[in-house]
Amino acid sequence: MISMRRGLWLIAVALCSGGCLPGSQPIPATVKVRHVTTHVPVPAARLWLSGGRPFMPPREVIGPPVSPWPNPQYSQAVTDANGVSHVQIAGNRPNWLTVATDGGCSGILLLRATNDEIYGATTWTAVEGMPYEVRVEAEKPAARINVP
């Protein structure tokens, strides 16, 4: 059994290390939506993205925030005629991507993001409960060309 002194020390370490969590920077990304069997792009699919926070005790219990809020916290977009949309995803956080269509059906994917990469749907990933699949790619900055 853990002694009281050791238990308090573990709690103190956990709280102190919580303040060292990385900040969240927006990651530009491309979301593509297509029909799962025909592979036809899905235009006008509505996308909602919400960035999450790593699990931390409630703010009221420990005082000031111990990890920065996700950046961006929330965004929405609509796919174009090619089933593509350009969005921003909260880096260093889990992100929930909700996909919906005018037919009334919707589905959710969990994306995990580091400071510059996105995981969870880097290949075509079926959206549970929907006849669609989604692919999310981090957009790389264009190479700069120095002109003298």
Side-chain angles (χ1 to χ4, degrees):
M1 183 157 178
I2 298 177
S3 70
M4 179 66 119
R5 176 183 257 179
R6 180 169 254 202
L8 290 173
W9 183 81
L10 289 172
I11 290 171
V13 168
L15 291 176
C16 291
S17 66
C20 300
L21 290 174
S24 176
Q25 296 291 327
I27 301 173
T30 301
V31 178
K32 299 177 183 177
V33 181
R34 70 181 188 184
H35 195 275
V36 74
T37 54
T38 64
H39 304 298
V40 173
V42 178
R46 294 183 312 278
L47 309 172
W48 289 274
L49 283 152
S50 59
R53 290 173 54 94
F55 173 76
M56 295 301 294
R59 299 171 86 104
E60 305 81 42
V61 173
I62 57 176
V66 294
S67 66
W69 287 103
N71 181 13
Q73 290 185 41
Y74 176 80
S75 63
Q76 52 188 338
V78 176
T79 57
D80 62 15
N82 297 319
V84 176
S85 184
H86 300 281
V87 298
Q88 287 193 338
I89 292 177
N92 291 321
R93 299 291 187 268
N95 288 263
W96 288 268
L97 170 62
T98 302
V99 181
T101 60
D102 289 334
C105 56
S106 65
I108 298 176
L109 288 175
L110 175 61
L111 307 174
R112 182 178 59 83
T114 63
N115 60 349
D116 60 356
E117 288 295 328
I118 304 164
Y119 303 95
T122 54
T123 59
W124 289 105
T125 305
V127 181
E128 189 173 334
M130 295 185 75
Y132 305 116
E133 57 187 356
V134 173
R135 187 163 132 182
V136 181
E137 301 169 331
E139 294 178 358
K140 302 296 180 198
R144 295 184 183 198
I145 300 173
N146 293 330
V147 179

